[in-house]
Amino acid sequence: MSTPPNQPPKLIVPGQSTPPQGNQQLFLANRNNTVSGTVQVKPAAAAARTDPGFFKRLVTGLNPLRQNTRAAMAMSGLGAGALAMDVAATLNLGNPFLFYDRRETWKEMSGALEGNRSNLWRGYFDQISPNWKGTAAETLQQYVRFNVNGLFSQLGKVGDEMSGAMHGQYKEVLEYDLSVFGLYAASAPILRSLAAMSTTHPVARVALMTQVGVFTTALGNLVKQFADVYNSYEGDLNKLELKLNDLKGAFYNSGDPAKGPRDLRLSPALADPQRTDDMWKPKGADL
């Protein structure tokens, strides 16, 4: 049965007379034309990971500290600006697990890509090349050597870089969260005490205003730190997006997945099981 005219031709490997639908396997045959093994090509599957709840516990612990500091801000007379900085700093808090999860997902995909690339490479050069010759064997060699190997390597490099970028963002988000929590944990008791004394002691009110100013400045520094980190990683992700666009151009027509994958440009004769004997010649058969 030939490949339908509206589909790109598929390469029929000896020992696989009818390619099973949806089965991502390359069937390998020896020189006697019997199946000697298969090469698995499976999509990367991300492992299920459970959020340890760090971010939820951090927010739960931060809320009462914020209430104390916000009350002190209001009493200091610097309420509007200080409260605005409080909102800006705490809105930037993020769950580092989300970046950890993406880091591990990209790492797993990169490993799966390298494993599949090696399976195909070794499958051909260990079992196909020593036993077969002919048009189909030469075509398959060119495809494995120049197409599959190169594209898989490029995908693996992008996966490695994405995993590295996600690790960097995980680290920055975790450090920012801990910095904000540490600042509130250290400042809240002081501000609470000064706020309580400021109603009866003018000196305490001055001290409260000074401490709120110091606290607000520290919050501003954290917000600036967050903005710098955000812009830095935005630039890194932009570079990775450009690399992914290059890969789209290699895999899809005009680089657009909606237009379908690029044609392998294999001869339709290679997809005809009735011509398998013409396409595949066992080595040593003519001796």
Side-chain angles (χ1 to χ4, degrees):
M1 180 176 65
S2 301
T3 303
N6 62 340
Q7 297 181 11
K10 299 179 178 64
L11 184 63
I12 304 298
V13 179
Q16 181 188 2
S17 57
T18 304
Q21 297 296 321
N23 195 350
Q24 296 179 307
Q25 291 180 322
L26 173 65
F27 286 74
L28 305 175
N30 57 26
R31 65 181 61 200
N32 296 321
N33 202 21
T34 58
V35 175
S36 60
T38 59
V39 172
Q40 301 290 338
V41 184
K42 297 180 180 179
R49 283 175 286 274
T50 303
D51 189 337
F54 161 81
F55 184 65
K56 183 177 181 180
R57 292 194 299 273
L58 181 138
V59 172
T60 300
L62 183 62
N63 284 334
L65 299 175
R66 286 189 70 200
Q67 292 175 4
N68 290 332
T69 57
R70 288 166 70 91
M73 290 174 185
M75 295 179 64
S76 70
L78 304 175
L83 289 173
M85 197 59 67
D86 163 79
V87 171
T90 53
L91 279 179
N92 289 335
L93 293 170
N95 187 351
F97 173 77
L98 299 177
F99 296 99
Y100 168 86
D101 184 55
R102 286 165 174 78
R103 181 194 73 180
E104 295 301 301
T105 298
W106 279 102
K107 188 192 301 181
E108 289 162 5
M109 287 194 293
S110 180
L113 284 167
E114 177 57 25
N116 287 332
R117 185 199 68 79
S118 297
N119 286 347
L120 288 171
W121 183 265
R122 300 311 313 175
Y124 179 82
F125 286 100
D126 288 349
Q127 301 189 51
I128 297 294
S129 181
N131 299 315
W132 296 94
K133 62 181 180 178
T135 303
E138 293 174 359
T139 301
L140 182 59
Q141 182 192 76
Q142 292 175 5
Y143 183 67
V144 170
R145 183 188 293 271
F146 298 110
N147 290 27
V148 174
N149 190 60
L151 291 174
F152 269 56
S153 296
Q154 291 180 57
L155 283 170
K157 289 178 181 178
V158 171
D160 292 345
E161 291 185 40
M162 284 295 295
S163 181
M166 292 300 104
H167 173 73
Q169 294 192 46
Y170 157 77
K171 174 177 175 292
E172 295 292 350
V173 169
L174 178 60
E175 290 180 350
Y176 180 83
D177 287 355
L178 292 176
S179 295
V180 171
F181 185 86
L183 178 61
Y184 275 87
S187 301
I190 298 173
L191 292 176
R192 182 174 60 246
S193 298
L194 290 175
M197 292 186 295
S198 65
T199 56
T200 56
H201 296 81
V203 175
R205 180 172 179 80
V206 173
L208 174 63
M209 295 177 62
T210 302
Q211 189 63 34
V212 168
V214 171
F215 178 71
T216 304
T217 300
L219 285 178
N221 290 334
L222 284 175
V223 171
K224 183 180 183 303
Q225 171 191 329
F226 178 88
D228 291 341
V229 170
Y230 178 90
N231 289 329
S232 175
Y233 281 98
E234 180 69 15
D236 291 342
L237 291 175
N238 183 65
K239 293 177 183 177
L240 287 169
E241 184 178 4
L242 293 175
K243 291 184 178 182
L244 288 172
N245 286 341
D246 292 341
L247 285 173
K248 284 182 182 179
F251 280 103
Y252 299 104
N253 290 315
S254 301
D256 184 0
K259 295 182 179 180
R262 291 193 181 279
D263 192 341
L264 300 182
R265 301 192 181 282
L266 299 176
S267 168
L270 298 177
D272 188 353
Q274 297 180 0
R275 297 193 58 186
T276 298
D277 292 338
D278 297 332
M279 297 291 105
W280 294 91
K281 301 290 185 182
K283 286 186 176 180
D286 53 347
L287 298 178

